[in-house]
């Protein structure tokens, strides 16, 4: 289990106690028990988060500021999620929604008739006043509505929270993504919630296509950089991407400037494993792109960088002046 800021101080007490609502906080303290409950994420799912690279430390810091009431509600969300055999992603979505709507507190007030952890409105059919201020009811109701959202499992967690809450400020749920991941892993005792083998050097993505591309690229480590080479004995930057995605069944253009146009674009801070990162002499002008690499997750990438440097993995410097603001997801 990953030991975070809040674990040493509060979790032992929380899990030993009965949540104030009357629901017992059950600890799932080993992987076999998690598997028995059907809640272990056995394959990588990088969308669990945080999808904003470099935010893991922020999550631990935010979690360390939570008070007893807030941590009890987190425990309740996770406990009910486990009892219902829902995935860690569902717990994360509920935590992000609750933190955004009420600060993870069971409020008796809100906008118009909004009440409780998720600011549910009796006038909108969420339940009676007594129900929407009863924590177990609220958590179960949130999960009921979430499960009815088509495709919620593949949405970014904050987007799924918005699909349930239907807020006029849809982007605000993303703020608590790193903290929610930290709580899922520590309070929920899920080792590596994303299931991506952090620190192994082989971080797998949420799609099989990207997984195969990453597997190929990592397998070419140590081979020399040669300008214009496309394998199998040597590569340049775009040649490595070309062959990696070819191994996954996706055909990319030959050069990095054209590969920039070969998939769905997304903000670079939302890059997930398998996405392509680009560097340009003028980052605002795609015509000046001169380098491409593949994001692995956990702030790492694999690349064929330059002459004299073999194919390798390294940390991404997100503040590099030439890093293009858009990442590209090939095949989408």
């Amino acid at each position: 289990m990953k030991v975070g800021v809040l674990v040493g101080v509060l979790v032992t007490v929380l899990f030993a106690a009965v949540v104030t609502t009357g629901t017992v906080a059950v600890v799932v303290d080993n992987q076999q028990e998690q598997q028995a409950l059907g809640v272990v994420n056995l394959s990588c799912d990088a969308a669990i988060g945080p999808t904003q690279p470099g935010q893991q430390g922020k999550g631990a810091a935010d979690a360390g500021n939570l008070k007893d009431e807030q941590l009890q509600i987190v425990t309740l969300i996770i406990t009910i999620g486990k009892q219902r055999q829902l995935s860690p992603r569902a717990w994360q979505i509920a935590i992000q929604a609750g933190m955004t709507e009420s600060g993870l507190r069971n409020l008796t007030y809100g906008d118009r008739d909004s009440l409780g952890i998720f600011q549910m409105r009796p006038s909108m059919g969420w339940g009676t006043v007594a129900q929407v201020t009863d924590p177990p009811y609220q958590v179960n109701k949130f999960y009921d509505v979430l499960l009815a959202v088509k495709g919620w499992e593949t949405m970014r967690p904050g987007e799924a929270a918005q699909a349930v809450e239907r807020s006029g400020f849809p982007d605000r749920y993303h703020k608590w993504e790193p903290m929610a991941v930290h709580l899922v892993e520590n309070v929920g005792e899920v080792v590596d919630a994303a299931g991506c083998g952090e620190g192994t050097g082989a971080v797998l993505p949420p799609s099989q296509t990207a997984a195969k591309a990453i597997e190929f690229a990592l397998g070419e480590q140590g081979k020399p950089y040669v300008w214009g080479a496309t394998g199998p004995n040597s590569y340049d930057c775009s040649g490595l991407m070309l062959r990696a995605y070819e191994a996954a069944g996706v055909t990319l253009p030959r050069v990095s400037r054209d590969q920039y146009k070969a998939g769905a674009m997304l903000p670079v801070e939302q890059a997930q494993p398998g996405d392509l990162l680009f560097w340009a002499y003028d980052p605002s002008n795609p015509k000046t792109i001169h380098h491409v690499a593949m994001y692995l997750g956990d702030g790492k990438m694999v690349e064929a960088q330059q002459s004299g440097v073999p194919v390798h993995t390294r940390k991404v410097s997100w503040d590099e002046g030439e890093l293009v603001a858009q990442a590209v997801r090939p095949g989408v």
Side-chain angles (χ1 to χ4, degrees):
M1 170 179 152
K2 296 180 180 178
V3 180
V5 173
L6 71 124
V7 173
V9 180
L10 294 169
V11 171
T12 302
V13 175
L14 282 172
F15 283 132
V18 175
V19 178
T20 54
T21 58
T23 300
V24 177
V26 179
V27 182
V28 179
D29 58 8
N30 61 62
Q31 192 176 55
Q32 288 184 339
E33 288 182 68
Q34 290 177 356
Q35 290 178 16
L37 287 173
V39 297
V40 175
N41 188 24
L42 296 176
S43 61
C44 175
D45 191 349
I48 289 233
T51 56
Q52 297 178 24
Q55 295 295 301
Q56 290 86 346
K58 182 179 185 300
D62 288 340
N65 291 326
L66 296 180
K67 307 302 182 184
D68 285 356
E69 178 192 2
Q70 295 167 301
L71 287 167
Q72 288 172 352
I73 288 173
V74 169
T75 301
L76 179 66
I77 287 170
I78 292 174
T79 298
I80 292 177
K82 289 178 178 179
Q83 291 171 346
R84 294 183 58 158
Q85 299 190 0
L86 301 178
S87 67
R89 180 196 292 273
W91 319 345
Q92 179 180 343
I93 293 166
I95 291 169
Q96 287 179 224
M99 188 64 184
T100 302
E101 294 294 334
S102 69
L104 290 167
R105 296 171 295 160
N106 188 25
L107 300 180
T108 57
Y109 58 89
D111 178 50
R112 288 168 284 189
D113 61 336
S114 299
L115 298 167
I117 303 164
F118 304 104
Q119 292 289 276
M120 295 174 173
R121 296 182 60 191
S123 64
M124 300 299 291
W126 286 93
T128 66
V129 170
Q131 287 173 323
V132 301
T133 52
D134 175 60
Y137 174 89
Q138 296 173 65
V139 173
N140 277 294
K141 185 67 173 180
F142 183 92
Y143 283 141
D144 289 343
V145 177
L146 174 65
L147 294 175
V149 174
K150 184 177 181 180
W152 69 269
E153 302 96 327
T154 57
M155 293 179 181
R156 185 175 174 185
E159 293 174 353
Q162 163 64 9
V164 175
E165 296 286 349
R166 299 183 181 181
S167 168
F169 304 94
D171 294 331
R172 61 184 182 148
Y173 300 99
H174 300 313
K175 175 181 179 181
W176 302 109
E177 185 176 80
M179 187 191 76
V181 176
H182 181 86
L183 291 168
V184 164
E185 292 187 335
N186 290 279
V187 178
E189 294 204 332
V190 175
V191 177
D192 184 17
C196 297
E198 183 177 331
T200 66
V203 183
L204 298 181
S207 78
Q208 288 301 310
T209 298
K212 291 177 181 177
I214 286 179
E215 181 181 10
F216 180 94
L218 291 175
E220 301 305 285
Q221 291 183 87
K223 293 187 176 180
Y225 175 98
V226 174
W227 186 84
T230 60
N233 299 317
S234 58
Y235 297 92
D236 66 7
C237 64
S238 56
L240 179 62
M241 302 302 107
L242 173 74
R243 296 307 179 202
Y245 266 96
E246 182 180 73
V250 175
T251 301
L252 292 181
R254 169 65 188 91
V255 299
S256 57
R257 286 189 299 275
D258 293 333
Q259 290 177 355
Y260 177 75
K261 306 172 185 176
M265 289 187 181
L266 65 158
V268 71
E269 64 270 15
Q270 295 179 20
Q272 292 187 21
D275 292 345
L276 303 184
L277 309 180
F278 296 87
W279 285 257
Y281 297 116
D282 176 0
S284 65
N285 183 0
K287 292 182 179 180
T288 68
I289 287 173
H290 60 83
H291 185 57
V292 60
M294 184 182 296
Y295 187 57
L296 298 174
D298 192 30
K300 301 182 181 70
M301 66 183 188
V302 59
E303 65 178 352
Q305 186 177 20
Q306 62 188 42
S307 297
V309 180
V311 175
H312 64 282
T313 62
R314 68 175 175 93
K315 286 281 188 179
V316 182
S317 297
W318 298 104
D319 57 354
E320 287 184 20
E322 294 187 354
L323 181 63
V324 176
Q326 296 80 33
V328 170
R329 188 161 297 162
V332 179

